[in-house]
Amino acid sequence: MIKVAIVGYGNIGKYAVDALRAAPDMELAGIVRRPGSEPVHGIKTASSMEDLGHVDAALLCTPTRSVEETALPLLARGINTVDSFDIHTQIWELHCALDKAAKVTGAVSVISAGWDPGSDSVVRTLLEACA
């Protein structure tokens, strides 16, 4: 089982919980929320990743502008990260920063995962090339 933590519990975080519960090869380690946030009923809720124990990966369900500052300490600990960073003009810079940090510990950082950016971005680029 892959132990996965969710960092942030807004709309994306809530749907990420549902997705993890449906994945037979993944286990929800818990949710990391801001200190003072209400606990989530039936799910281990913590204010730091350290409070969750061993975690293989973290789904970063945070605002886009906080992805880098959230991912870097996790990658430094060898925790794989997945985010949905969506500022198209800054994706390359984010890739460079997180890739460098991930390589130090052998972790993996999947950036801009989802529809847009993600698969929609690829389709958009292909269509622009055709035009």
Side-chain angles (χ1 to χ4, degrees), residues 6-9 31-40 45-48:
I6 294 174
V7 181
Y9 194 65
I31 299 171
V32 178
R33 300 186 75 185
R34 287 185 219 115
S37 296
E38 291 292 319
V40 178
T45 307
S47 60
S48 74

Side-chain angles (χ1 to χ4, degrees), residues 1 15-16 20 24 29 34 46 54 66-67 83 98 102 106 113-114 131:
M1 291 292 251
Y15 287 111
L20 283 172
R34 287 185 219 115
H54 171 75
S66 65
V67 164
D83 68 64
L98 298 188

